[in-house]
Amino acid sequence: MSDGRSTSTYSGENLLFLTDEQLRQGIEAMFFAYRGFTADPDRILADMAYGRAHHRAIHFIHRAPGTTVNNLLNILGVTKQSLNRVLRTLIEQGLVISKVGKVDKRERHLFLTDEGSSLEQTLSDAQRARMRSAFRDAGPEAVAGFRTVLEAMMDTEMQRAYTRLKETGA
Amino acid sequence: MSDGRSTSTYSGENLLFLTDEQLRQGIEAMFFAYRGFTADPDRILADMAYGRAHHRAIHFIHRAPGTTVNNLLNILGVTKQSLNRVLRTLIEQGLVISKVGKVDKRERHLFLTDEGSSLEQTLSDAQRARMRSAFRDAGPEAVAGFRTVLEAMMDTEMQRAYTRLKETGA
DNA sequence: CAGTATATGTCAGTGTTGTTGACATTCCAA
DNA sequence: TTGGAATGTCAACAACACTGACATATACTG
């Protein structure tokens, strides 16, 4: 179904970058690159009792301190039960603290402790180092293209979450 | 590692695309985009008894028919026990066949059956549709940049595997 | 040929991370 | 004030990765 149509429908323009072969290469690039993307933090976490899920939670708590469990849930796209297990161990180990909401006591607001911040720093340093090296090798224009394509690949809700975070930090 | 050239090339120029904030946005973009990237096949597979691991195996067997177990192992980056569990169910369900090697009888060469090919088609149609839409929205230059950055983000071994596959197909 | 290396498969056990279901607490609105 | 919605917690289970140990068949080497 996707064969040939991509080239024939839009014939006239130069749409060679939309051939199935190009798309498949894009798919494989995503697969291999994502492995590299997570490799460094994974290595660090392997020695501890934590995994990728803990990394993600720590990252976004660092990013938006005081965020609620529910908010984090939406960003991470997992069930609250799944997130809860991760948060419980992080709280037990003293990396995260959870404060009952002042306005709405049902809510828990999440913060990193000093120890949590320290781990976040270690992990993001490793991940940023690879990203920086890739960005530098590729150059600013490639980086702009990289981000454009990634944003177009997200679900709409994730695009919103991403944009919201982006604006918060900038 | 390639720092010399790129630093000297860009030193003095605008390196704002390498700030921590930019890197963090790149990291978050990868995270959210990868979710979108796997979302469609995941939805299809959820109804069947298969998961993402089966999808990956099917993809690369389709991509390199007759590949050996060992080869697949290296591409997927999992243990043989883990891959074996997946392959066993795929073979039992009649999606994959394994043929004893003619030259080296220790090897098993893997192929998709018609049924396996049909599932592969369904899954990759879904994934390509999203990739095509993202590529089209972003345009050819962005796509080139996207691929440049992803390739720079891979581990060297994965880069080789990726290039080998790329050349096979093109 | 004997001994070693390689390719594959299997069993058992464990850890992380996702799922659903059940339930407690808190808030809010009829 | 009472019932429903929102928020979060606990328990049990499934998928899929891992390690370690071992079996089998085949290939290679001295």
Side-chain angles (χ1 to χ4, degrees):
Chain A
M1 165 177 222
S2 41
D3 271 318
R5 223 186 23 149
S6 41
T7 41
S8 64
T9 304
Y10 300 96
S11 62
E13 309 171 32
N14 183 1
L15 287 167
L16 284 180
F17 74 111
L18 288 180
T19 63
D20 279 358
E21 174 59 24
Q22 295 292 311
L23 295 170
R24 218 221 32 241
Q25 283 179 29
I27 288 169
E28 286 169 1
M30 265 310 263
F31 172 71
F32 289 123
Y34 197 76
R35 284 250 294 282
F37 172 68
T38 56
D40 303 319
D42 280 359
R43 249 190 302 277
I44 295 171
L45 289 160
D47 299 331
M48 320 184 185
Y50 304 122
R52 209 176 282 177
H54 300 86
H55 180 194
R56 291 196 286 259
I58 288 175
H59 175 98
F60 286 108
I61 294 173
H62 165 78
R63 193 70 189 74
T67 186
T68 63
V69 173
N70 212 8
N71 188 15
L72 202 50
L73 229 49
N74 292 325
I75 290 176
L76 296 176
V78 296
T79 58
K80 60 181 178 172
Q81 294 90 329
S82 188
L83 175 58
N84 188 254
R85 187 173 355 87
V86 169
L87 285 180
R88 202 188 322 165
T89 72
L90 290 176
I91 290 169
E92 278 167 7
Q93 309 287 313
L95 301 188
V96 167
I97 43 176
S98 134
K99 292 183 184 166
V100 173
K102 281 182 180 130
V103 179
D104 186 333
K105 289 180 187 164
R106 292 172 303 181
E107 295 180 338
R108 300 295 129 95
H109 298 276
L110 303 168
F111 302 86
L112 293 183
T113 62
D114 288 349
E115 203 184 337
S117 292
S118 156
L119 178 57
E120 194 282 331
Q121 192 70 33
T122 305
L123 294 172
S124 74
D125 278 353
Q127 199 159 39
R128 268 202 305 265
R130 183 184 291 251
M131 191 67 75
R132 184 179 301 112
S133 156
F135 274 18
R136 190 170 39 212
D137 289 354
E141 284 151 40
V143 169
F146 162 78
R147 297 222 337 221
T148 304
V149 172
L150 288 191
E151 286 175 30
M153 212 179 326
M154 297 176 195
D155 282 329
T156 0
E157 313 144 35
M158 289 305 104
Q159 227 170 66
R160 270 200 297 273
Y162 170 74
T163 307
R164 218 178 306 126
L165 282 171
K166 206 166 62 171
E167 284 161 1
T168 308
Chain B
M1 41 141 159
S2 72
D3 286 12
R5 203 169 58 92
S6 28
T7 333
S8 63
T9 303
Y10 296 110
S11 68
E13 302 177 28
N14 190 350
L15 286 166
L16 283 180
F17 76 111
L18 288 179
T19 61
D20 280 0
E21 173 62 23
Q22 295 291 312
L23 296 170
R24 218 219 36 236
Q25 283 178 27
I27 288 169
E28 287 170 359
M30 263 313 260
F31 171 70
F32 289 123
Y34 196 76
R35 282 254 294 284
F37 172 68
T38 55
D40 303 320
D42 280 359
R43 248 189 302 277
I44 295 171
L45 289 160
D47 299 331
M48 321 184 184
Y50 304 120
R52 210 177 282 177
H54 301 83
H55 180 195
R56 291 195 286 258
I58 288 174
H59 174 97
F60 286 108
I61 294 174
H62 166 78
R63 192 70 187 72
T67 187
T68 64
V69 173
N70 219 358
N71 188 14
L72 201 50
L73 230 47
N74 292 325
I75 289 176
L76 295 177
V78 296
T79 59
K80 65 174 178 177
Q81 294 91 328
S82 193
L83 175 59
N84 189 254
R85 187 178 352 94
V86 169
L87 282 181
R88 202 185 333 175
T89 71
L90 289 176
I91 290 169
E92 277 168 7
Q93 308 287 313
L95 301 188
V96 167
I97 44 177
S98 134
K99 292 183 185 164
V100 173
K102 281 184 181 128
V103 179
D104 187 333
K105 290 180 186 164
R106 293 172 302 180
E107 296 180 336
R108 299 297 129 93
H109 298 277
L110 303 168
F111 301 87
L112 294 183
T113 63
D114 288 350
E115 204 185 336
S117 292
S118 156
L119 178 56
E120 194 282 331
Q121 192 70 34
T122 305
L123 294 173
S124 74
D125 277 354
Q127 200 160 38
R128 270 202 303 266
R130 182 185 292 252
M131 190 67 75
R132 183 179 303 113
S133 154
F135 275 17
R136 191 168 36 211
D137 290 355
E141 285 155 41
V143 169
F146 162 78
R147 299 226 328 227
T148 303
V149 173
L150 288 191
E151 286 175 29
M153 212 179 324
M154 295 175 196
D155 281 331
T156 3
E157 313 144 37
M158 289 305 103
Q159 227 170 65
R160 269 199 297 273
Y162 170 75
T163 308
R164 217 177 307 126
L165 282 170
K166 205 167 65 171
E167 284 158 1
T168 308

